Amino acid sequence: MGKVGVLSVQGDFARHRHVFHDLGIETQEVRVPEDLVECDRIVLPGGESTTIGMLMERTGLLTTLKAEIRAGLPAWGTCAGMILLAREVEGGSGPRLDILDVTVRRNAFGRQVHSFESDVEVEGVGTVTAVFIRAPIVTRVGAGVKVLSTVSEGVVAVREGNVLATSFHPELTGDPRVHEWFASL
Amino acid sequence: MQNGGSTPRPASLSQAERIAQKTWREKVGLAEMLKGGVIMDVVNPDQAKISEDAGAVAVMALERVPADIRRDGGVARMSDPEMNQGIQASVSIPVMAKCRIGHFAEAQILEALEVDFIDESEVLTPADEENHVDKHGFTVPFVCGARNLGEALRRCGEGAAMIRTKGEAGTGDVVEAVRHMRTIMSQIRAVAAAREDELYVLAKEMQAPLEQVHTVHETGRLPVPNFSAGGIATPADAALMMQLGAETVFVGSGIFKSGDPAKRAKAMVEAVLFHRDPAKLAEISRDLGEPMVGISAGSLRPDELLAGRGW
């Protein structure tokens, strides 16, 4: 088994690496295209999607990673990672991978004082505690996209083939089940 | 909506504690999302937009950058809410704002404005010379400055969700930020290496809450993200602080007091990403125009130093 690449351009990438480490799964920090060589899947962490997208474009990682995911590399984006994967973002958000057939609304619940936690049902995983931090939601789901989880405001987890996206942050709760599930895809 | 620092805690804590626990994870969670980035001081929507376009992870909204506060003198206070809201409306990245040390009413106002992070900052004139804001009572997360581990852990004990070195704001001289980061990191190493039965006296000596000292002992890190501020003016300064252990840098006067702010802002963002790659840093540092003029921190009188504020 290869390594799980963790996009380490900006954001909470270290938290994702800790979870995989505790599961005994080797990870690789990914900053430039060459870092992808040994990876057999990729995680796009939370952070600021505008910053991450811009830096990925400057380093050439955007083009390379997009081609890899198109060719079947399993990818999972949390929060900002979901925005980076989305085809469309309401109001726009700069350079993106543009690969997951959904429309996403950024900061859909409002500013930080409206950040919250909730127990949500995730298909394939079960009930997990979801931490939403200035989180996006999915407002349009393409034909090939499967909804995995919803809250009253909308869709918060989706899957399209090899691409998985969650509005929330399983890396912050100490519960490794979503990571374990992604590693088994 | 949560109340501010003056509200006594309820006697029965189970429900309130559960809420505080949950809120805590969201507060520190936002700080985690800001790691590996640059947070830029801005005084108007145009500067905020330039910062966002350059790749800033957040902006700090204030009426005057520290270099101007230093020059103008007088009492420096929380900024006008209208200015804050103008900046909040102009960008999609998080917006931070400063309140005076101990001024929990300013903090309550900033929370009502829904700023994303409050900096209880020594750059403003302190409002209380003994107490800092009780940050546990707020929904919005706080960042506080520190010069050493004891000060950092006292702030964590009060509920800070992020610590930054104080450095010496508004100087463009990185020497104090280096001093504070080296001090904090070496004290963390000492606590991590200590025997468990030595933690009591270490806590006493540092005047730090014992519980927080235990956390540092077990994890070898601060209980919250550890950022750096105060005098960072060039890409090399940013790389230096990141290599010394900072997880993100704040750039105050260094960008918009320089010759070409947009170019410098972009360079600072890239320098944080490539802080361990000297060849890339050399490329990033080229042709940035004039840096901010700067004041040597060593030339300041003790009463002119901002870092001494906070207790």
Side-chain angles (χ1 to χ4, degrees):
Chain A
M1 187 170 155
K3 297 178 186 175
V4 175
V6 179
L7 180 67
S8 304
V9 166
Q10 189 276 319
D12 75 332
F13 49 86
R15 297 296 294 257
H16 275 289
R17 294 189 69 204
H18 285 156
V19 183
F20 286 117
H21 179 264
D22 290 348
L23 288 169
I25 297 168
E26 211 180 339
T27 58
Q28 164 74 46
E29 290 191 354
V30 176
R31 291 192 172 81
V32 290
E34 302 80 73
D35 295 333
L36 282 170
V37 173
E38 289 178 51
C39 301
D40 68 3
R41 55 200 71 227
I42 181 88
V43 172
L44 299 98
E48 275 310 309
S49 58
T50 49
T51 306
I52 300 172
M54 207 175 288
L55 288 168
M56 284 174 79
E57 187 175 51
R58 286 183 212 165
T59 58
L61 190 55
L62 203 63
T63 318
T64 316
L65 189 54
K66 186 172 175 165
E68 294 277 346
I69 297 172
R70 276 247 167 87
L73 182 75
W76 171 29
T78 60
C79 195
M82 172 190 266
I83 296 166
L84 288 164
L85 290 165
R87 279 274 180 79
E88 285 179 276
V89 175
E90 290 179 18
S93 79
R96 288 193 311 277
L97 290 161
D98 189 20
I99 206 162
L100 171 66
D101 189 15
V102 296
T103 302
V104 166
R105 181 182 301 150
R106 294 179 68 197
N107 304 334
F109 301 92
R111 300 181 193 279
Q112 173 62 13
V113 293
H114 303 292
S115 291
F116 66 103
E117 286 187 27
S118 176
D119 286 346
V120 301
E121 204 56 46
V122 180
E123 200 180 321
V125 181
T127 308
V128 302
T129 299
V131 183
F132 294 89
I133 297 172
R134 290 170 45 93
I137 55 171
V138 175
T139 55
R140 180 193 62 85
V141 177
V145 179
K146 189 171 182 190
V147 172
L148 300 179
S149 186
T150 54
V151 296
S152 52
E153 290 84 354
V155 173
V156 293
V158 293
R159 178 178 177 181
E160 183 181 26
N162 56 322
V163 182
L164 177 66
T166 57
S167 301
F168 50 90
H169 295 278
E171 73 278 14
L172 295 181
T173 57
D175 175 354
R177 285 176 300 155
V178 184
H179 289 76
E180 212 164 10
W181 181 58
F182 173 67
S184 74
L185 288 181
Chain B
M1 185 54 93
Q2 293 286 310
N3 293 318
S6 63
T7 312
R9 304 262 186 77
S12 114
L13 282 176
S14 57
Q15 178 70 8
E17 269 181 341
R18 268 206 302 280
I19 293 167
Q21 193 70 44
K22 287 176 69 174
T23 313
W24 180 242
R25 194 145 64 184
E26 290 141 32
K27 288 175 174 174
V28 178
L30 180 57
E32 296 279 350
M33 299 313 143
L34 299 173
K35 281 184 177 176
V38 182
I39 299 166
M40 303 182 189
D41 276 7
V42 298
V43 301
N44 58 46
D46 285 345
Q47 290 186 355
K49 199 72 201 131
I50 290 170
S51 301
E52 183 176 51
D53 290 345
V57 290
V59 291
M60 176 77 71
L62 68 181
E63 268 165 0
R64 292 175 292 171
V65 294
D68 290 336
I69 291 175
R70 193 175 277 291
R71 187 198 63 209
D72 296 348
V75 177
R77 309 178 177 94
M78 174 188 78
S79 299
D80 188 319
E82 180 148 329
M83 189 230 49
N84 267 315
Q85 285 173 319
I87 289 171
Q88 284 173 303
S90 69
V91 292
S92 65
I93 56 178
V95 176
M96 302 185 169
K98 290 183 194 288
C99 76
R100 285 179 264 178
I101 289 172
H103 205 316
F104 55 80
E106 284 188 349
Q108 289 162 351
I109 292 168
L110 292 174
E111 178 166 80
L113 291 172
E114 300 195 352
V115 303
D116 295 294
F117 236 102
I118 296 176
D119 184 2
E120 187 183 16
S121 177
E122 69 283 0
V123 167
L124 305 184
T125 311
D128 189 324
E129 295 193 333
E130 288 178 3
N131 303 289
H132 282 248
V133 173
D134 175 2
K135 295 165 270 288
H136 291 292
F138 288 80
T139 307
V140 61
F142 280 72
V143 50
C144 289
R147 292 161 297 177
N148 54 56
L149 184 58
E151 193 173 13
L153 297 182
R154 286 195 293 281
R155 299 294 86 81
C156 292
E158 296 155 4
M162 178 201 294
I163 294 295
R164 56 170 174 76
T165 58
K166 287 181 173 174
E168 192 53 37
T171 60
D173 186 349
V174 79
V175 67
E176 294 299 312
V178 168
R179 187 193 319 281
H180 300 158
M181 186 56 76
R182 280 199 184 270
T183 303
I184 289 171
M185 298 308 282
S186 72
Q187 289 177 320
I188 287 174
R189 287 190 291 272
V191 169
R195 278 168 54 100
E196 205 158 326
D197 61 4
E198 294 166 342
L199 298 180
Y200 304 97
V201 75
L202 282 173
K204 182 194 75 176
E205 283 168 4
M206 292 191 297
Q207 298 183 288
L210 181 61
E211 189 192 349
Q212 306 282 342
V213 176
H214 269 286
T215 305
V216 173
H217 177 68
E218 282 156 24
T219 61
R221 358 175 12 103
L222 283 185
V224 301
N226 181 15
F227 291 9
S228 183
I232 298 162
T234 67
D237 288 348
L240 176 68
M241 296 316 301
M242 293 296 289
Q243 288 189 43
L244 285 173
E247 295 175 304
T248 269
V249 298
F250 285 81
V251 184
S253 319
I255 289 172
F256 290 99
K257 284 289 173 188
S258 74
D260 189 342
K263 203 166 179 183
R264 185 165 294 264
K266 191 168 160 249
M268 299 299 275
V269 170
E270 290 178 3
V272 168
L273 175 60
F274 293 113
H275 65 270
R276 289 190 187 280
D277 187 336
K280 284 233 165 58
L281 290 170
E283 193 56 41
I284 291 163
S285 303
R286 289 166 72 106
D287 193 26
L288 295 180
E290 285 296 307
M292 72 177 282
V293 175
I295 311 165
S296 157
S299 71
L300 295 170
R301 293 192 315 269
D303 63 310
E304 294 176 311
L305 294 171
L306 302 176
R309 296 166 166 184
W311 357 99

